[in-house]
Each structure stands twice: as structure tokens, then as C-alpha cells.
Amino acid sequence: MPSIYREIEQLVAYGIQAGLLEEADKVFVRNRILAVLKLDDWEDDAGESTENADLPSILKNILDWAADHGLLAANTVTERDILDTEIMNCLLPRPSEVIRNFEQKYHTNPQAATEYFYHLSSASHYIREDRIKKNKQWKTMIPYGEIDITINLSKPEKDPKEIALLKDLPSSNYPECLLCKENEGYKGTLRHPARATHRIIPLTLNEEGWYLQYSPYVYYNEHCIVFRDQHIPMKISAETFNRLLDFTEQFPHYFLGSNADIPIVGGSILSHDHFQGGNYRFALEKAEEGEAVQLDGFPSVIVAPVKWPMSVIRVRGKKAEVAAVSTLIYQKWQRYSDPSVGIFSETDGVPHNTVTPIARRRGDLFEIDVVLRNNRTSAEHPDGIFHPHQQLHHIKKENIGLIEVMGLAVLPGRLESELSRLAAYLLAPPDGKGNWQEDLLKHWDWYHSILKKYHDIDADNVGKILEDEVGKIFLAVLEDAGVFKQDEQGLAAFTNFIQLVTESRDDDEQYE
């Protein structure tokens, strides 16, 4: 194994090359790394060239040395993550310096500020690019445009040794959740991820305190999270639209959206108010618009349905008017029922209607896509009427959140192996169901539908066929999540709802 001193020297050189520290910081940073590794001496070791040093390889060598020298109790992935994060934190500026650098760049160019912050988050190994590269990604065409598909392979599974250690680990409520500001610099435990390299940027949205960070497991370019400075549950309101638009005014090159605020159609963390954004154009943004209409009293605004498998109303115009009209749509939708298409705003006093809003800029104008959501369940669809139905669960059964709404399918890691083995079955069909591997039986009907559809499957095209068919399943998932269906009755009902909004009627009988 290479000398530990050579690896430390390589790491410090990487930090200088990546702009995490300066030459004058070299000895200080080296000594901080020695302290983390419980070394109290230094040996000069010129070693090999440090140009274009590979960070994951350097860290792996250091962590292997640490395991060999008793610094990792069980050498689990989480233990290694905690230690490599502590090591990388030695190379990073303190939060106040990061904020100062960000603000200085922002005053020149907001995009330069986010590029600086994203580079810091990536170069520090907070964004674990080496794991993200494991994700399987492709694009496929549906009638509404080209959508993105990703099979999530970046988050490591729990080691059995780690699960055993968790039994004896005392519980803790600090930080209160994964989105709280107290995560910044937190060492991490077997239950809570390492965040020593975590840095956050304070923002003011709607005259409130918020923070900007990047997701450690980015799903698209510059995937960011904007979270409240207090641990407050998610709640869509008029203030939500103001916050989203304030952000896009400050960062016009980013979109920002909110998950819905109720179970089934909401995000995975409803306990802490937050948004997700980034520098990426999703299929929803590029989708065609239907006939636009205007509202009395809002001269700058146009309202148009979006040609998308879910029910989306696009609002575009000046900032204040876009906020007001988006709020109007939300308030109308909260109280809207139409039994003819299975939409009920509440049952037994439990509300079901909410929205998934996404804000962006269109040149000098502001734009919000208001996606209508409903979380009602039934005996036939206990997981949700407007949720992926049972026949699609072999591909996708999880919540349809903000990212999926915009046209990026985040699919479970199990599909990498399952699709590979299904490809082999398509090339050489097994003789009878009894010869199928048990975990593939959930794909039985889908598999036979593919065999009927394609008569010239070979080793060159089987992969592309499966990718396209997964895309069609995701289209069906989005259609299931749409509250107004893509048929004559559903589209007519959607048009009626938009007309209700644009007429801006206030009599309650219109919503019942």
C-alpha cells in the first residue's frame, strides 16, 4: 500500500489544485489531517506526480490505512463516510468565508456565485460524484417530449455489521431532521449522515430566513435544496408562491419548485419546509401550451393548460401578478370537487386537494407551473387514486414527487439487475413460469407484452427496447397521477376548471 504520508501529500495537493485551499495553507491543512488520523509525526515522501490526482482513490487508500490501523471499528461504509468527511473538512474554508465568497461573486453575477458554491460542494466530496456516476441514466421520447430516466444506484445499502451496531446506539434528536441548519459541520453517526463538509448559504425569501444547499446525491445539473431556517412542516400557501418567485428573481438561471404538502402526493420529508431547484430544463418546461387566456385585473398574465400527462396550469407574467393568480388557482382548487371525474376536495373533513408548484424565469417574465394534486384513496386503489396503480408497481410504486412531475423518473436500484436479466429472458425465453427467477415474476405480464410487440429482438436492440418500454411505463405513471385524465371527459373537466379560475368567481357553489 502507498505510504500514508504520500497519500496525505496527494490530498493536500488535490485541495490546492481544486481551489479548496491556497499554498499558504499547506502545512496547516496537513497537520489537521494528521490530527484526524491520530498521527503526531511527518515523513517527507515526494512520491508520484500529484497532477490530476483522483480524489476517490486517494481517500480509499487513506481509509484502508485507517482500517488497518484500528481507526474504524467495523470498517462499514458509514464509518468510512464519517472519517473521509472529517478529513475533507480539513481542506475547506469555514462557513463565514464560504458565505463571504458567495456574496462577493453574487454581486458580480448570480450564476458565478452558484457555480462557485456547486464546485466547492463537489470538490469537497460532499456531492459524491463517484457514487452518482453509478446511476444508470437515459432519455426516451413520449408523446409529450423527451423525458429523463434514472435508476438510483448512488446511495449505498446498509451493511449487516452496521445494522447490528445500530441496536446499541443511543437515540438522538440532534439534528432534528436531515434538512435542519444544525447539519452544517455535524460529524455524523451510524443513524445520521456525515455532514462535516456541509456548507449552507443564507437567503431571504418573502422576508423570511431560508438557506441554500446542494443535494449530496444530485439527480440533475446543480440539484439544489432551499430550506427554511426553522423546523416547520411543509405547507402550501400564498406565501409559497412568493418565496418561489423571490428565489427566481435572485437566481434567474435556476428553477425552484415545491413538493405537495400532504401524504401520498407529497415529498419524502414533509416535516421541514423546503424546495428543490437547479440549473436544468426538464421536459415539463419544454412542453407545449394549450390555448392561453387572460384574467380581468391581471393584465400582464396569461394562463394556459400545459400539454402534459398530469394536470398543469401555466401562469406567466409580471412577478406580483403571477403570485396572485397562482394563489387564486390554488385556493380555487382546494375547494374544487367534480364527482363526474372522481375528484373530491375532502372526505369526512380530511382535505385532499393541493398543488405542486414550479417557478422559473422566461426572459424578463416570471412563470409558475401549478400542478394539481389529490391524495384520495379507495378500496380499489389503497395507495392512492391519483398515484401509480398496482399494475405499474413492478417498475414504480413510490410517491410521484416534484422531480417526477417535471419529467424525470427516479427508479429503484433493483431495476438495474432486473432489467439486465429480463433482457436475457427476451433473447432466450425460459420454458414456462416455473423456470423464472422469483424476483422477476412481477414483470411477467409486462415481459409478454414486449414479446408480442417486438418480433425482431436481438442483442443489439434489446437494451434500447427495454429503455423505451420503461419510458412508456413512466408515462402511464404520470397519467395515473394526473387528476384530470387524458380522455374527452377529463380534458373537458380540466377546461371547465380553468374557465372557473379565469372567471374568478367567488360563490362557493362553484366549488361544490
Side-chain angles (χ1 to χ4, degrees):
M1 176 178 173
S3 159
I4 185 61
Y5 303 106
R6 181 185 304 175
E7 296 302 321
I8 294 172
E9 198 76 349
Q10 291 265 49
L11 182 58
V12 174
Y14 163 83
I16 294 172
Q17 180 185 341
L20 299 177
L21 63 140
E22 299 180 13
E23 187 70 31
D25 301 318
K26 182 175 181 179
V27 172
F28 174 84
V29 170
R30 174 205 294 165
N31 283 334
R32 300 318 307 150
I33 297 171
L34 290 173
V36 171
L37 296 176
K38 303 187 184 306
L39 292 168
D40 55 12
D41 62 356
W42 177 253
E43 295 180 12
D44 285 320
D45 189 341
E48 302 172 0
S49 170
T50 58
E51 185 176 356
N52 297 321
D54 176 47
L55 179 62
S57 297
I58 296 170
L59 289 174
K60 179 183 181 303
N61 290 338
I62 293 175
L63 293 172
D64 287 347
W65 176 91
D68 291 343
H69 288 76
L71 298 184
L72 297 171
N75 198 23
T76 64
V77 171
T78 300
E79 285 182 297
R80 290 171 74 94
D81 283 356
I82 290 171
L83 182 55
D84 79 18
T85 305
E86 286 290 300
I87 292 168
M88 288 303 300
N89 190 44
C90 297
L91 281 67
L92 291 185
R94 291 194 176 204
S96 58
E97 187 177 345
V98 174
I99 293 168
R100 186 164 54 250
N101 289 340
F102 183 92
E103 290 177 346
Q104 287 173 349
K105 294 179 184 298
Y106 180 88
H107 288 307
T108 301
N109 183 343
Q111 189 162 350
T114 55
E115 286 174 352
Y116 155 75
F117 188 38
Y118 187 81
H119 171 75
L120 179 82
S121 301
S122 176
S124 67
H125 209 45
Y126 170 74
I127 297 174
R128 294 182 177 266
E129 302 280 3
D130 55 326
R131 291 180 183 169
I132 294 164
K133 289 177 182 176
K134 296 177 182 178
N135 290 344
K136 183 175 174 58
Q137 298 176 318
W138 70 90
K139 293 178 180 289
T140 191
M141 188 64 69
I142 63 172
Y144 303 89
E146 190 175 54
I147 58 172
D148 297 284
I149 311 285
T150 183
I151 295 177
N152 182 15
L153 301 169
S154 57
K155 292 185 180 180
E157 296 181 4
K158 287 287 185 184
D159 188 301
K161 293 181 292 184
E162 192 173 302
I163 295 171
L165 291 171
L166 279 169
K167 295 178 182 177
D168 302 320
L169 189 70
S171 61
S172 172
N173 293 321
Y174 181 85
E176 195 166 354
C177 81
L178 293 172
L179 292 176
C180 285
K181 60 188 177 184
E182 288 78 15
N183 282 279
E184 188 175 39
Y186 187 69
K187 181 177 180 178
T189 68
L190 292 177
R191 285 201 178 99
H192 196 98
R195 290 293 182 260
T197 52
H198 185 39
R199 300 293 186 267
I200 58 180
I201 303 295
L203 302 175
T204 299
L205 305 178
N206 195 43
E207 301 181 350
E208 303 158 343
W210 291 74
Y211 287 97
L212 168 69
Q213 69 169 75
Y214 287 103
S215 170
Y217 293 100
V218 296
Y219 289 128
Y220 51 85
N221 188 46
E222 297 178 39
H223 179 180
C224 69
I225 299 171
V226 176
F227 63 96
R228 192 78 176 264
D229 64 353
Q230 303 173 58
H231 186 74
I232 296 174
M234 290 188 67
K235 176 60 182 172
I236 302 293
S237 66
E239 285 73 24
T240 301
F241 305 107
N242 291 326
R243 294 161 187 153
L244 295 175
L245 293 168
D246 274 1
F247 181 87
T248 60
E249 184 171 41
Q250 295 175 40
F251 301 95
H253 57 296
Y254 273 13
F255 79 88
L256 192 69
S258 175
N259 270 304
D261 56 344
I262 56 178
I264 297 178
V265 297
S268 57
I269 302 179
L270 296 179
S271 62
H272 195 130
D273 206 1
H274 70 285
F275 308 126
Q276 294 184 76
N279 190 3
Y280 190 72
R281 291 192 71 207
F282 288 91
L284 174 58
E285 179 181 349
K286 295 180 278 188
E288 294 181 27
E289 299 172 10
E291 183 178 355
V293 294
Q294 290 187 298
L295 282 72
D296 291 341
F298 303 99
S300 78
V301 166
I302 64 165
V303 174
V306 180
K307 295 181 179 179
W308 191 246
M310 296 182 70
S311 307
V312 184
I313 302 173
R314 180 163 293 164
V315 184
R316 183 165 58 248
K318 293 181 178 179
K319 181 184 174 187
E321 292 186 5
V322 168
V325 172
S326 299
T327 300
L328 175 65
I329 294 170
Y330 169 61
Q331 291 174 343
K332 298 277 188 182
W333 176 245
Q334 277 188 301
R335 296 184 288 171
Y336 181 84
S337 294
D338 186 345
S340 71
V341 289
I343 297 172
F344 295 89
S345 63
E346 59 87 21
T347 52
D348 299 324
V350 178
H352 298 304
N353 285 355
T354 189
V355 297
T356 298
I358 305 116
R360 65 182 75 89
R361 296 290 294 275
R362 292 272 191 183
D364 293 331
L365 298 178
F366 292 81
E367 182 173 279
I368 289 184
D369 284 345
V370 184
V371 187
L372 308 179
R373 312 299 303 273
N374 178 290
N375 77 340
R376 195 164 65 88
T377 61
S378 67
E380 183 183 3
H381 302 294
D383 297 312
I385 296 171
F386 305 103
H387 178 82
H389 292 170
Q390 181 70 39
Q391 66 269 23
L392 306 177
H393 287 186
H394 65 106
I395 297 293
K396 176 74 171 176
K397 65 183 294 185
E398 298 79 14
N399 286 7
I400 303 307
L402 171 69
I403 294 174
E404 284 87 3
V405 164
M406 294 186 293
L408 192 163
V410 181
L411 303 178
R414 62 176 171 80
L415 285 173
E416 181 195 33
S417 168
E418 291 175 10
L419 293 178
S420 176
R421 287 178 286 146
L422 278 175
Y425 281 14
L426 288 168
L427 294 173
D431 185 16
K433 212 170 187 178
N435 291 315
W436 273 53
Q437 294 175 347
E438 185 174 354
D439 65 330
L440 293 184
L441 288 173
K442 58 181 171 286
H443 299 296
W444 176 264
D445 292 338
W446 182 54
Y447 164 84
H448 282 282
S449 73
I450 294 172
L451 280 180
K452 289 179 182 178
K453 189 182 299 184
Y454 300 92
H455 304 290
D456 54 352
I457 301 175
D458 58 37
D460 293 329
N461 65 17
V462 65
K464 182 66 166 57
I465 287 171
L466 280 170
E467 287 180 355
D468 289 344
E469 290 301 310
V470 168
K472 292 171 184 175
I473 291 287
F474 183 56
L475 169 60
V477 163
L478 293 178
E479 289 174 338
D480 279 353
V483 292
F484 292 106
K485 300 308 176 186
Q486 301 294 310
D487 55 27
E488 185 176 352
Q489 184 180 16
L491 292 174
F494 187 28
T495 299
N496 288 339
F497 175 72
I498 294 174
Q499 183 179 0
L500 169 67
V501 171
T502 55
E503 290 176 354
S504 193
R505 298 174 185 166
D506 294 323
D507 48 313
D508 287 348
E509 66 184 59
Q510 293 295 326
Y511 313 120
E512 299 301 325

